[in-house]
Amino acid sequence: MLILKLAIRNLLRHTRKTILLGMIIMLGTAMLFFANAMFESTNEGLESSFIRSLTGDAVLSANSDISYGLFGNETPIVSSYEVIPSIPGYSSMADLFSSIDHVSEWTPIVSAAAFVEIGGVRRMAAVLFGVDHNTYFSVCPDIIIEKGSISSLKDGGVFLNKKIASKIEEKIQRPLEIGEALQLTMFSDGSFRIVKGFLAGIHSYVGTTQVLDRIVLADPDSVRRIANYTMGYVLTNDSSSSPKEEVFDLDDLFLEAEDVTVEEKNGFNLEDIENLLAQTDEVKIAVMPNSAAWSFVLFRSDENQKALLKSLQKEIRNKQWDVKILNWRQAAGLSAQTVFALQYAFYIGMVFIAAGAILVIMNALVISVLERSSEIGTMRGIGAGKAFIRKLFIAESMLLTVSASVLGILLGIIICFIVSMKGLVVENELFINLFGGNVIEPSITIFGIFINIFMAFIIASLSWIYPVSIAMHINPVSVMGKE
């Protein structure tokens, strides 16, 4: 109790220095608390935005050596677009999805990339999701239908994102009309795939980001054609017979050469050309979309995301399915990971700021020790031990740092409430992606408050070590002699 009274007396005796140092700690804590509250809202906003608009709580995909997210290959450097492998044995799995524990809703999608051409505007890059209109909007309820009907998402129907539609309308100087013809084009594996369709509607998202603004919803068969999920592709991949490797010699072409007399012929006629171009039944089957081919299956949980992931993993092990489960961050891929990388960079910056705060407080305490060396010497001379001096300086640093930090947290809470009431609008694309939308509302949590108090305690605990070591080396006799 005596140490606490002396610590308070010493802080009040040097009012100017105490207030100055306390203001620095308070403002620093308020800034850190506000920034942390902003990132808490980012986590909530991103999670809500991605889960309710894009990924669901869990995603099932085919096993592959290459990491694929909903937007394709997650390898940072690729030479060209790689088609996402379809889920093997989807038909047999689908009958069991609804019976898996903690699955409330599920829907399959086909994912690909393409250029959208409509109204004379070409090369509007987009991510195509071929969706089942009966189930997709139950798993992703935060999708807003601006124009059109979701039942039109079949037989070639396409829903453009509102941002893409707005850019096209600016270029063609007129509004897009429902039913207007459009074309989807993709170049992959050395060839172009072109699919014709029509504008079925326009959609948008509650929490808009640059990633979500690229998504176009389409008829699954149209996307299957773009992704080459056709019967010909299936037959080629499933064929167990492979050609035998043969050694080829150019001279073999002329071993049985002989003269041949042919009748004179007047080249091709129209009938010959029509016969060559006519599609045989085999060709028609080969280019037919495989209706059982899907890239991913999205799942919504019954408010228990972790339990859903465990149930799906257990079912995969028991049934020995050749698939894997992704959480929402993995499914969103680099689009979400980049945002969290920026958050981690911020937290690393907070560590450096904390280190700077320790140095500032330590420097102030060292100066205080040097100014009070005679006082320390006198206390040592009348019998105060090193433990007493040590406890006194620990009490002073803890009182100053923790009390200033608490005031800083209160100031940070007030700032958060003011910003939440007015809403902080950002227009920079980086910040929109980072905070999951263009309106930022800080999120105050008990965890965030305790984190800041804990950091203040750590800073106070470390900042007294060096000043106390200086105080312990003060010689009472020499200091009292000088006085």
Side-chain angles (χ1 to χ4, degrees), residues 15-31 357 360-361 400-401 403-405 407-409 411:
T15 309
R16 184 177 299 177
K17 292 180 180 178
T18 301
I19 292 176
L20 178 60
L21 189 56
M23 286 288 291
I24 293 172
I25 297 171
M26 182 182 71
L27 292 175
T29 303
M31 291 174 61
V360 170
I361 298 171
L400 177 62
T401 306
S403 58
S405 297
L407 291 175
I409 291 171
L411 178 60

Side-chain angles (χ1 to χ4, degrees), residues 7 23 45 53 74 80 147 161 210 223 229 260 265 276 296 309 332 336-337 341 363 367 379 389 434 444:
M23 286 288 291
S53 303
E74 292 300 317
S80 62
K147 187 190 294 186
N161 188 283
Q210 192 175 17
V223 185
Y229 287 177
V260 177
K265 200 168 185 178
L276 286 173
F296 302 98
L309 291 170
Q337 300 303 329
N363 185 57
I367 294 173
M379 287 191 293
I389 303 298
L434 183 60
I444 301 171

Side-chain angles (χ1 to χ4, degrees), residues 9-10 13 372-380 392 479:
R9 187 206 66 177
N10 289 335
R13 193 172 63 177
R372 294 161 55 190
S373 58
S374 60
E375 178 186 337
I376 295 170
T378 302
M379 287 191 293
R380 293 287 305 280
L392 179 61
V479 172

Side-chain angles (χ1 to χ4, degrees), residues 87-109:
I87 298 172
Y90 168 81
S91 298
S92 59
M93 298 179 193
D95 296 333
L96 302 175
F97 287 152
S98 297
S99 62
I100 297 176
D101 292 339
H102 305 289
V103 173
S104 60
E105 303 281 350
W106 65 273
T107 187
I109 68 169

Side-chain angles (χ1 to χ4, degrees), residues 31-32 35-36 39 341-351 353:
M31 291 174 61
L32 289 175
N36 194 51
F39 277 104
L342 291 174
Q343 286 190 18
Y344 297 144
F346 168 78
Y347 291 133
I348 292 172
M350 287 180 63
V351 173
I353 292 173

